[in-house]
PDB file of all heavy atoms in Angstrom:
ATOM      1  N   MET H   1     -33.109  63.997  62.471  1.00 65.00           N
ATOM      2  CA  MET H   1     -31.794  63.831  61.852  1.00 65.00           C
ATOM      3  C   MET H   1     -31.602  64.913  60.798  1.00 65.00           C
ATOM      4  O   MET H   1     -32.481  65.157  59.970  1.00 65.00           O
ATOM      5  CB  MET H   1     -31.677  62.451  61.215  1.00 65.00           C
ATOM      6  CG  MET H   1     -30.301  62.135  60.722  1.00 65.00           C
ATOM      7  SD  MET H   1     -30.187  60.413  60.214  1.00 65.00           S
ATOM      8  CE  MET H   1     -28.431  60.260  60.021  1.00 65.00           C
ATOM      9  N   ALA H   2     -30.453  65.594  60.849  1.00 75.00           N
ATOM     10  CA  ALA H   2     -30.186  66.687  59.922  1.00 75.00           C
ATOM     11  C   ALA H   2     -30.120  66.189  58.490  1.00 75.00           C
ATOM     12  O   ALA H   2     -29.626  65.093  58.218  1.00 75.00           O
ATOM     13  CB  ALA H   2     -28.866  67.362  60.299  1.00 75.00           C
ATOM     14  N   ALA H   3     -30.627  67.009  57.579  1.00 84.00           N
ATOM     15  CA  ALA H   3     -30.618  66.646  56.159  1.00 84.00           C
ATOM     16  C   ALA H   3     -29.195  66.654  55.630  1.00 84.00           C
ATOM     17  O   ALA H   3     -28.356  67.474  56.045  1.00 84.00           O
ATOM     18  CB  ALA H   3     -31.491  67.609  55.377  1.00 84.00           C
ATOM     19  N   LEU H   4     -28.916  65.752  54.717  1.00 89.00           N
ATOM     20  CA  LEU H   4     -27.591  65.650  54.115  1.00 89.00           C
ATOM     21  C   LEU H   4     -27.516  66.497  52.858  1.00 89.00           C
ATOM     22  O   LEU H   4     -28.520  66.691  52.163  1.00 89.00           O
ATOM     23  CB  LEU H   4     -27.267  64.195  53.781  1.00 89.00           C
ATOM     24  CG  LEU H   4     -27.269  63.206  54.949  1.00 89.00           C
ATOM     25  CD1 LEU H   4     -27.090  61.785  54.435  1.00 89.00           C
ATOM     26  CD2 LEU H   4     -26.175  63.555  55.953  1.00 89.00           C
ATOM     27  N   ALA H   5     -26.325  66.988  52.562  1.00 89.00           N
ATOM     28  CA  ALA H   5     -26.127  67.753  51.333  1.00 89.00           C
ATOM     29  C   ALA H   5     -26.384  66.846  50.141  1.00 89.00           C
ATOM     30  O   ALA H   5     -25.981  65.679  50.141  1.00 89.00           O
ATOM     31  CB  ALA H   5     -24.698  68.294  51.286  1.00 89.00           C
ATOM     32  N   PRO H   6     -27.089  67.343  49.128  1.00 92.00           N
ATOM     33  CA  PRO H   6     -27.413  66.495  47.963  1.00 92.00           C
ATOM     34  C   PRO H   6     -26.172  66.092  47.181  1.00 92.00           C
ATOM     35  O   PRO H   6     -25.157  66.801  47.182  1.00 92.00           O
ATOM     36  CB  PRO H   6     -28.338  67.388  47.129  1.00 92.00           C
ATOM     37  CG  PRO H   6     -27.960  68.785  47.519  1.00 92.00           C
ATOM     38  CD  PRO H   6     -27.593  68.719  48.969  1.00 92.00           C
ATOM     39  N   LEU H   7     -26.271  64.976  46.502  1.00 94.00           N
ATOM     40  CA  LEU H   7     -25.190  64.481  45.656  1.00 94.00           C
ATOM     41  C   LEU H   7     -25.326  65.050  44.252  1.00 94.00           C
ATOM     42  O   LEU H   7     -26.434  65.352  43.805  1.00 94.00           O
ATOM     43  CB  LEU H   7     -25.220  62.955  45.579  1.00 94.00           C
ATOM     44  CG  LEU H   7     -24.939  62.180  46.866  1.00 94.00           C
ATOM     45  CD1 LEU H   7     -25.208  60.695  46.647  1.00 94.00           C
ATOM     46  CD2 LEU H   7     -23.500  62.390  47.327  1.00 94.00           C
ATOM     47  N   PRO H   8     -24.219  65.174  43.525  1.00 94.00           N
ATOM     48  CA  PRO H   8     -24.294  65.584  42.120  1.00 94.00           C
ATOM     49  C   PRO H   8     -24.898  64.450  41.294  1.00 94.00           C
ATOM     50  O   PRO H   8     -25.099  63.349  41.808  1.00 94.00           O
ATOM     51  CB  PRO H   8     -22.831  65.840  41.753  1.00 94.00           C
ATOM     52  CG  PRO H   8     -22.038  65.009  42.714  1.00 94.00           C
ATOM     53  CD  PRO H   8     -22.827  64.998  43.987  1.00 94.00           C
ATOM     54  N   PRO H   9     -25.205  64.690  40.022  1.00 95.00           N
ATOM     55  CA  PRO H   9     -25.763  63.626  39.172  1.00 95.00           C
ATOM     56  C   PRO H   9     -24.871  62.385  39.183  1.00 95.00           C
ATOM     57  O   PRO H   9     -23.647  62.477  39.203  1.00 95.00           O
ATOM     58  CB  PRO H   9     -25.802  64.270  37.786  1.00 95.00           C
ATOM     59  CG  PRO H   9     -25.915  65.736  38.060  1.00 95.00           C
ATOM     60  CD  PRO H   9     -25.082  65.967  39.299  1.00 95.00           C
ATOM     61  N   LEU H  10     -25.511  61.228  39.169  1.00 96.00           N
ATOM     62  CA  LEU H  10     -24.774  59.970  39.222  1.00 96.00           C
ATOM     63  C   LEU H  10     -24.059  59.719  37.900  1.00 96.00           C
ATOM     64  O   LEU H  10     -24.693  59.670  36.843  1.00 96.00           O
ATOM     65  CB  LEU H  10     -25.737  58.814  39.502  1.00 96.00           C
ATOM     66  CG  LEU H  10     -25.105  57.425  39.657  1.00 96.00           C
ATOM     67  CD1 LEU H  10     -24.452  57.309  41.031  1.00 96.00           C
ATOM     68  CD2 LEU H  10     -26.163  56.336  39.504  1.00 96.00           C
ATOM     69  N   PRO H  11     -22.745  59.560  37.922  1.00 96.00           N
ATOM     70  CA  PRO H  11     -22.017  59.228  36.688  1.00 96.00           C
ATOM     71  C   PRO H  11     -22.486  57.885  36.130  1.00 96.00           C
ATOM     72  O   PRO H  11     -22.880  56.989  36.880  1.00 96.00           O
ATOM     73  CB  PRO H  11     -20.551  59.144  37.152  1.00 96.00           C
ATOM     74  CG  PRO H  11     -20.505  59.966  38.401  1.00 96.00           C
ATOM     75  CD  PRO H  11     -21.827  59.747  39.059  1.00 96.00           C
ATOM     76  N   ALA H  12     -22.458  57.754  34.822  1.00 96.00           N
ATOM     77  CA  ALA H  12     -22.916  56.521  34.182  1.00 96.00           C
ATOM     78  C   ALA H  12     -22.134  55.307  34.675  1.00 96.00           C
ATOM     79  O   ALA H  12     -22.671  54.198  34.744  1.00 96.00           O
ATOM     80  CB  ALA H  12     -22.784  56.645  32.660  1.00 96.00           C
ATOM     81  N   GLN H  13     -20.862  55.520  35.028  1.00 96.00           N
ATOM     82  CA  GLN H  13     -20.038  54.396  35.490  1.00 96.00           C
ATOM     83  C   GLN H  13     -20.580  53.778  36.785  1.00 96.00           C
ATOM     84  O   GLN H  13     -20.295  52.629  37.106  1.00 96.00           O
ATOM     85  CB  GLN H  13     -18.591  54.862  35.738  1.00 96.00           C
ATOM     86  CG  GLN H  13     -17.881  55.376  34.499  1.00 96.00           C
ATOM     87  CD  GLN H  13     -18.003  56.884  34.358  1.00 96.00           C
ATOM     88  OE1 GLN H  13     -19.094  57.445  34.473  1.00 96.00           O
ATOM     89  NE2 GLN H  13     -16.885  57.539  34.105  1.00 96.00           N
ATOM     90  N   PHE H  14     -21.339  54.561  37.535  1.00 96.00           N
ATOM     91  CA  PHE H  14     -21.818  54.107  38.842  1.00 96.00           C
ATOM     92  C   PHE H  14     -23.255  53.586  38.807  1.00 96.00           C
ATOM     93  O   PHE H  14     -23.930  53.530  39.833  1.00 96.00           O
ATOM     94  CB  PHE H  14     -21.719  55.249  39.860  1.00 96.00           C
ATOM     95  CG  PHE H  14     -20.312  55.650  40.188  1.00 96.00           C
ATOM     96  CD1 PHE H  14     -20.052  56.884  40.781  1.00 96.00           C
ATOM     97  CD2 PHE H  14     -19.249  54.808  39.930  1.00 96.00           C
ATOM     98  CE1 PHE H  14     -18.758  57.253  41.096  1.00 96.00           C
ATOM     99  CE2 PHE H  14     -17.941  55.165  40.238  1.00 96.00           C
ATOM    100  CZ  PHE H  14     -17.695  56.402  40.825  1.00 96.00           C
ATOM    101  N   LYS H  15     -23.726  53.196  37.642  1.00 96.00           N
ATOM    102  CA  LYS H  15     -25.108  52.712  37.533  1.00 96.00           C
ATOM    103  C   LYS H  15     -25.380  51.538  38.469  1.00 96.00           C
ATOM    104  O   LYS H  15     -26.486  51.389  39.003  1.00 96.00           O
ATOM    105  CB  LYS H  15     -25.400  52.293  36.086  1.00 96.00           C
ATOM    106  CG  LYS H  15     -26.828  51.824  35.867  1.00 96.00           C
ATOM    107  CD  LYS H  15     -27.069  51.425  34.420  1.00 96.00           C
ATOM    108  CE  LYS H  15     -28.507  50.923  34.238  1.00 96.00           C
ATOM    109  NZ  LYS H  15     -28.778  50.493  32.844  1.00 96.00           N
ATOM    110  N   SER H  16     -24.376  50.705  38.698  1.00 96.00           N
ATOM    111  CA  SER H  16     -24.580  49.497  39.502  1.00 96.00           C
ATOM    112  C   SER H  16     -24.868  49.798  40.972  1.00 96.00           C
ATOM    113  O   SER H  16     -25.332  48.917  41.703  1.00 96.00           O
ATOM    114  CB  SER H  16     -23.355  48.582  39.405  1.00 96.00           C
ATOM    115  OG  SER H  16     -22.216  49.218  39.946  1.00 96.00           O
ATOM    116  N   ILE H  17     -24.587  51.029  41.429  1.00 97.00           N
ATOM    117  CA  ILE H  17     -24.832  51.351  42.840  1.00 97.00           C
ATOM    118  C   ILE H  17     -26.001  52.318  43.021  1.00 97.00           C
ATOM    119  O   ILE H  17     -26.268  52.757  44.129  1.00 97.00           O
ATOM    120  CB  ILE H  17     -23.575  51.950  43.509  1.00 97.00           C
ATOM    121  CG1 ILE H  17     -23.126  53.234  42.790  1.00 97.00           C
ATOM    122  CG2 ILE H  17     -22.451  50.925  43.545  1.00 97.00           C
ATOM    123  CD1 ILE H  17     -21.977  53.949  43.480  1.00 97.00           C
ATOM    124  N   GLN H  18     -26.719  52.625  41.935  1.00 97.00           N
ATOM    125  CA  GLN H  18     -27.784  53.612  42.039  1.00 97.00           C
ATOM    126  C   GLN H  18     -28.903  53.165  42.980  1.00 97.00           C
ATOM    127  O   GLN H  18     -29.463  53.981  43.732  1.00 97.00           O
ATOM    128  CB  GLN H  18     -28.365  53.912  40.657  1.00 97.00           C
ATOM    129  CG  GLN H  18     -29.005  52.734  39.952  1.00 97.00           C
ATOM    130  CD  GLN H  18     -29.545  53.090  38.570  1.00 97.00           C
ATOM    131  OE1 GLN H  18     -29.911  54.221  38.320  1.00 97.00           O
ATOM    132  NE2 GLN H  18     -29.572  52.122  37.667  1.00 97.00           N
ATOM    133  N   HIS H  19     -29.219  51.881  42.974  1.00 97.00           N
ATOM    134  CA  HIS H  19     -30.305  51.411  43.829  1.00 97.00           C
ATOM    135  C   HIS H  19     -29.876  51.323  45.295  1.00 97.00           C
ATOM    136  O   HIS H  19     -30.705  51.470  46.200  1.00 97.00           O
ATOM    137  CB  HIS H  19     -30.817  50.068  43.338  1.00 97.00           C
ATOM    138  CG  HIS H  19     -31.427  50.134  41.972  1.00 97.00           C
ATOM    139  ND1 HIS H  19     -32.532  50.899  41.690  1.00 97.00           N
ATOM    140  CD2 HIS H  19     -31.061  49.561  40.799  1.00 97.00           C
ATOM    141  CE1 HIS H  19     -32.837  50.782  40.407  1.00 97.00           C
ATOM    142  NE2 HIS H  19     -31.958  49.980  39.846  1.00 97.00           N
TER     143      HIS H  19
END
Side-chain angles (χ1 to χ4, degrees):
M1 188 172 191
L4 301 173
L7 294 172
L10 183 77
Q13 298 94 312
F14 293 162
K15 182 180 179 181
S16 63
I17 59 174
Q18 62 181 332
H19 296 298

